[in-house]
Amino acid sequence: MEAAQVYIVHGYMASTTDHWFEWVQASLEKEGIAVHILAMPDSSKPDPQAWVNYLKENVTFSDQTYFIGHSLGCISLLLYLNRYQLKPAGMILIAGFLEKLRDIPDLDGFLEEQISIPGLIQNVPKRLVIGAEDDYIVPFELTQKLAEALEAPIIAVADGGHFLGKDDFKTFPVLLEKLKIMIKSAS
């Protein structure tokens, strides 16, 4: 069986060195799991086509591929998986959404393409959503709707904010624990 590999897809205005990304990478690599933090193009002026193309060009896919999406990285990941009908082993979506964000119209273009939710449910057997009840960028209700649409369990964090470094999210133990469980259950 192939070894598990994890791809982290960051969000709007983020980079590979932000928040908890490198901590998750270092923690998993200690256990022999390859982790790739993708440097999504032009994150301050994101373009849906450019982001999906970047994923297509930079992900080496196997049946042991797992994804972590954060914020805009979630919808970008869903567009990519849907467009190419890919079947990863699992995904964890953090502070994700499927509806326009009232305060960030720059991201509306990511919500124009139709996504087959039944197709994603069929193609991605292990799904988990994590949201913060006090998220000030993506309202928790939108993350709940994402979890419901994907028929995915949701972990509600009382005071996670938007899971940014400035919200004190330099580490993310619950994410790491759930991802390890997801990977172990495959072997």
Side-chain angles (χ1 to χ4, degrees):
M1 184 154 107
E2 292 185 55
Q5 60 175 347
V6 176
Y7 287 90
I8 298 175
V9 186
H10 69 67
Y12 182 50
M13 309 284 276
S15 78
T16 58
T17 58
D18 287 343
H19 321 313
W20 37 266
F21 307 147
E22 291 178 311
W23 178 83
V24 169
Q25 180 180 40
S27 301
L28 289 172
E29 286 181 345
K30 280 183 203 161
E31 300 192 22
I33 298 169
V35 179
H36 314 275
I37 308 171
L38 298 170
M40 303 307 289
D42 202 0
S43 76
S44 59
K45 285 190 166 74
D47 173 73
Q49 190 60 45
W51 278 38
V52 171
N53 287 344
Y54 185 86
L55 287 167
K56 186 174 191 292
E57 292 162 11
N58 290 279
V59 172
T60 305
F61 216 82
S62 81
D63 62 356
Q64 283 302 301
T65 300
Y66 293 83
F67 290 97
I68 299 170
H70 178 240
S71 193
L72 183 62
C74 297
I75 190 71
S76 304
L77 174 60
L78 296 178
L79 285 168
Y80 163 68
L81 295 175
N82 181 72
R83 186 176 297 172
Y84 299 106
Q85 294 298 300
L86 298 168
K87 299 180 179 187
M91 66 181 171
I92 298 179
L93 305 176
I94 296 139
F97 55 95
L98 285 172
E99 297 175 34
K100 292 179 179 177
L101 300 177
R102 191 182 61 218
D103 298 335
I104 314 176
D106 291 355
L107 308 185
D108 289 357
F110 283 81
L111 298 155
E112 290 172 2
E113 185 175 324
Q114 187 67 37
I115 292 176
S116 168
I117 297 296
L120 287 169
I121 291 169
Q122 182 178 342
N123 289 341
V124 188
K126 297 177 192 157
R127 304 174 299 282
L128 177 66
V129 173
I130 300 175
E133 294 170 359
D134 65 342
D135 193 322
Y136 49 90
I137 295 175
V138 176
F140 182 63
E141 302 75 54
L142 296 185
T143 302
Q144 281 180 303
K145 285 182 180 179
L146 171 66
E148 289 165 12
L150 290 172
E151 298 175 6
I154 185 168
I155 295 174
V157 177
D159 56 355
H162 195 57
F163 303 103
L164 304 177
K166 70 178 185 178
D167 299 324
D168 233 8
F169 267 80
K170 304 258 192 273
T171 65
F172 206 154
V174 70
L175 166 63
L176 187 63
E177 173 198 348
K178 296 300 182 184
L179 185 61
K180 284 181 182 178
I181 290 168
M182 201 179 263
I183 292 170
K184 265 197 186 102
S185 70
S187 50

